């Protein structure tokens, strides 16, 4: 038998033909085993998913890192503002006509601004996930909408306060609003971080954020009632306020965020 030939069943077959037939048999065997799941190849979908996961982490870091940095700055400032946090808790429900020794200091005002920025960022993350959007663009848009909501509400409280009462009670009312969101941001931060890191429990984290929002709103509404609606005859006016300044803006904010995120994608 020559080296160039192979003998199969007593017949001389060229070596090239034998090699090609063997390759065909091996290929057929691989194809058959691939059908039964014994041999897997990287499909386009698998490759796409493997490439997408690092991108998602990099995208979420655009939200995660600023929130962590903001919380880190707040933590450093907290070392010299521990008494001010207690003052914020009092401002959330206080109706006493007295000056606060922390009101006129720039450091405490900047600390309150940082807390409200943390509220806006965490609220944007949870609002976006509540709508079903986990893209970083939607989280940024929702954070911007929460920020617009905060500014609009402060303007609304300022106008209504000067219509129905004096400047002192108006400032007290607005301070209760910003203090509530500032203190609430410390409670809203953990669910937002857990949502970014453990998205499989979105319903739980969003529910925690909703509970924090409800508690902050209840405390603030109670303060407003004590300031403006101390008489029984003003109950109907209080209901008007509750619908126009507390419930309707929240609904409009939710609808606006959903509309913008849907058209953004």
């Amino acid at each position: 038998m020559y080296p160039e030939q192979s003998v199969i069943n007593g017949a001389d077959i060229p070596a090239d033909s034998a090699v090609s037939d063997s390759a065909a048999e091996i290929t057929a065997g691989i194809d058959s085993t691939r059908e039964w799941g014994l041999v897997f190849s990287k499909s386009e979908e698998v490759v796409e998913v493997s490439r997408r996961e690092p991108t998602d982490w990099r995208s979420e870091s655009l939200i995660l890192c600023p929130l962590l940095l903001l919380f880190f700055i707040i933590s450093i400032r907290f070392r010299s503002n521990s008494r001010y946090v207690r003052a914020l808790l009092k401002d959330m429900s206080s109706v006493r006509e007295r000056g606060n020794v922390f009101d006129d200091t720039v450091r405490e005002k900047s600390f309150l601004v940082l807390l409200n920025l943390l509220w806006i960022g965490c609220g944007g993350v949870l609002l976006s996930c509540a709508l079903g959007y986990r893209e970083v663009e939607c989280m940024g848009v929702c954070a911007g909408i929460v920020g617009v909501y905060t500014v609009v509400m402060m303007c609304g409280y300022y106008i209504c306060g000067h219509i129905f009462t004096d400047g002192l009670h108006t400032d007290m009312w607005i301070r209760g609003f910003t203090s509530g969101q500032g203190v609430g941001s410390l409670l809203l931060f953990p669910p937002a971080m857990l949502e970014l890191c453990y998205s499989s429990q979105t319903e739980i984290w969003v529910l925690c954020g909703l509970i924090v929002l409800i508690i902050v709103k209840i405390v603030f509404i109670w303060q407003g009632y004590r300031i403006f609606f101390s008489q029984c005859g003003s109950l109907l006016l209080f209901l008007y306020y509750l619908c126009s300044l507390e419930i309707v803006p929240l609904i409009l904010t939710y609808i606006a965020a959903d509309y913008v995120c849907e058209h953004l994608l």
Side-chain angles (χ1 to χ4, degrees), residues 63 123-146 252-265:
I63 296 294
V125 170
L126 294 176
L127 176 59
S128 177
C129 295
L131 294 171
Y133 303 103
R134 291 192 53 84
E135 292 77 10
V136 63
E137 296 86 358
C138 292
M139 291 182 183
V141 167
C142 289
I145 292 176
V146 174
L252 293 179
T253 300
Y254 185 88
I255 295 175
D258 189 22
Y259 177 83
V260 174
C261 290
E262 182 179 359
H263 286 75
L264 180 64
L265 296 179

Side-chain angles (χ1 to χ4, degrees), residues 43-237:
S43 62
E44 294 180 359
E45 183 178 359
V46 175
V47 173
E48 183 180 357
V49 171
S50 63
R51 291 177 180 175
R52 190 187 309 153
E53 289 179 354
T55 305
D56 288 341
W57 275 106
R58 288 195 295 268
S59 299
E60 290 184 357
S61 66
L62 296 177
I63 296 294
L64 184 65
C65 291
L67 290 179
L68 289 175
L69 178 61
L70 188 59
F71 183 77
F72 178 72
I73 296 174
I74 291 173
S75 300
I76 295 177
R77 298 289 300 274
F78 178 77
R79 296 178 58 185
S80 58
N81 290 273
S82 58
R83 292 185 302 168
Y84 181 68
V85 173
R86 292 194 295 268
L88 288 179
L89 292 172
K90 294 180 181 179
D91 289 339
M92 290 176 59
S93 58
S94 176
V95 295
R96 294 181 58 185
E97 299 180 3
R98 60 176 179 82
N100 193 321
V101 294
F102 300 100
D103 287 348
D104 297 329
T105 58
V106 176
R107 293 183 61 186
E108 277 69 27
K109 285 185 177 181
S110 62
F111 183 70
L112 183 59
V113 170
L114 290 174
L115 288 174
N116 277 267
L117 288 177
L118 183 63
W119 170 274
I120 291 172
C122 295
V125 170
L126 294 176
L127 176 59
S128 177
C129 295
L131 294 171
Y133 303 103
R134 291 192 53 84
E135 292 77 10
V136 63
E137 296 86 358
C138 292
M139 291 182 183
V141 167
C142 289
I145 292 176
V146 174
V148 172
Y149 165 81
T150 300
V151 174
V152 170
M153 294 306 296
M154 291 177 65
C155 294
Y157 296 141
Y158 180 84
I159 295 173
C160 292
H162 280 82
I163 291 176
F164 294 102
T165 185
D166 54 16
L168 177 61
H169 289 88
T170 300
D171 293 340
M172 189 185 304
W173 199 25
I174 295 177
R175 189 170 184 81
F177 172 72
T178 55
S179 298
Q181 289 196 165
V183 175
S185 66
L186 301 177
L187 301 176
L188 207 63
F189 179 75
M193 291 296 100
L194 290 172
E195 171 58 36
L196 291 174
C197 299
Y198 302 98
S199 59
S200 59
Q201 304 293 333
T202 297
E203 295 81 4
I204 297 178
W205 314 137
V206 172
L207 180 60
C208 292
L210 182 61
I211 292 174
V212 173
L213 175 63
I214 292 175
I215 294 175
V216 170
K217 280 297 181 182
I218 289 176
V219 175
F220 175 71
I221 291 172
W222 173 243
Q223 182 194 35
Y225 181 83
R226 294 172 64 192
I227 293 175
F228 299 102
F229 309 103
S230 57
Q231 298 180 1
C232 298
S234 60
L235 181 59
L236 182 61
L237 185 62

